[in-house]
Amino acid sequence: YALRVRCVGQLSGTCRAARSLLWSEPEAQPLWHELLVRRFTDSAVDIVQRARPGAFGPLAYKTARALRLLFKSNVEIIPGSVVDEVSGCEVVACPATRYLVDGGVGAQHVIRRAAGPALEDDVSKLRLPFLGSVAMVSGGSLAPRVAMTMTEPSQEFIEAIMVERGTSAREGTGSVERQLRAIMAFVHKIHVDLVTCVRQAGYRSLAMPTLCTGGIGIPPSIVAIAAMSALREDFLAHP
């Protein structure tokens, strides 16, 4: 015989002894698996095993809940200049172009000015044009490290967007949706590369401005979605 999940939950509320018997016995594993999947989706099973190998039953559920709280408590959205909010952060992201020129405006100028000569000395040693996605350099007086993050769109990306804009005028909303998907994918990759580089370098805290919202002009809402998606994916892959 077997009890439905709902029945187990109702019976477990009758007394502590019944709860211990129903929840802690090996036979309760299907219950906890069902609760885990129902609350945190199917992917939670693999994520929990990466974070705590061999965790099953109540421990698996508690691990999933703790991971969610950990993510929510360690991602902050703070208004204001990034250079005023870097206290305690190991890495600061700085938007950059292929030739790593300080344009004198925007977040990249503020960050480079705050970091000072140590950053500029490291930047001068990088090969130009910079063909990578992220380069770790000295953070000078700002932070231990600054991640020079390539935000300049490629010529292929620009041409593809222009083609979609021309198509949009003829076909309507379908092409507009393709433009948005292309822009989202572009910004998402920037953040994926950034977060991956920071993690692989052994750092665990990052401060970043809203990349691509200045000179490129991508709406902050799109950047926010892409950034949170990249952070979530990296966290779930490396809990």
Side-chain angles (χ1 to χ4, degrees), residues 21 45 59 80 85 87 94 99-100 104 114 137 155 166 190 200-201 238:
L21 178 63
V45 178
L59 182 58
E85 305 295 342
S87 178
C94 179
Y99 286 89
L100 304 174
V137 298
Q155 187 61 35
I190 288 174
Q200 290 180 344
H238 307 277

Side-chain angles (χ1 to χ4, degrees), residues 60-84:
Y61 186 88
K62 290 179 181 178
T63 300
R65 185 173 61 183
L67 287 172
R68 186 176 67 173
L69 291 173
L70 181 65
F71 181 80
K72 292 175 66 176
S73 63
N74 283 277
V75 177
E76 295 182 86
I77 300 175
I78 303 174
S81 174
V82 65
V83 298
D84 296 329

Side-chain angles (χ1 to χ4, degrees), residues 14-110:
T14 59
C15 69
R16 183 174 299 176
R19 181 167 64 246
S20 177
L21 178 63
L22 290 167
W23 288 21
S24 303
E25 294 299 312
E27 291 79 3
Q29 296 291 351
L31 163 68
W32 287 106
H33 179 84
E34 176 71 18
L35 291 174
L36 180 65
V37 171
R38 183 180 298 181
R39 182 71 180 274
F40 302 105
T41 75
D42 293 340
S43 61
V45 178
D46 292 333
I47 295 167
V48 165
Q49 289 305 308
R50 285 197 293 268
R52 183 170 288 181
F56 295 99
L59 182 58
Y61 186 88
K62 290 179 181 178
T63 300
R65 185 173 61 183
L67 287 172
R68 186 176 67 173
L69 291 173
L70 181 65
F71 181 80
K72 292 175 66 176
S73 63
N74 283 277
V75 177
E76 295 182 86
I77 300 175
I78 303 174
S81 174
V82 65
V83 298
D84 296 329
E85 305 295 342
V86 299
S87 178
C89 286
E90 300 167 297
V91 181
V92 178
C94 179
T97 61
R98 294 290 173 198
Y99 286 89
L100 304 174
V101 175
D102 182 351
V105 295
Q108 58 88 34
H109 175 64
V110 173

Side-chain angles (χ1 to χ4, degrees), residues 89-139:
C89 286
E90 300 167 297
V91 181
V92 178
C94 179
T97 61
R98 294 290 173 198
Y99 286 89
L100 304 174
V101 175
D102 182 351
V105 295
Q108 58 88 34
H109 175 64
V110 173
I111 292 169
R112 293 176 72 152
R113 183 177 60 186
L119 178 146
E120 298 301 337
D121 183 57
D122 275 5
V123 167
S124 68
K125 298 174 184 176
L126 296 174
R127 185 175 180 179
L128 300 178
F130 180 63
L131 300 178
S133 55
V134 182
M136 284 288 189
V137 298
S138 171

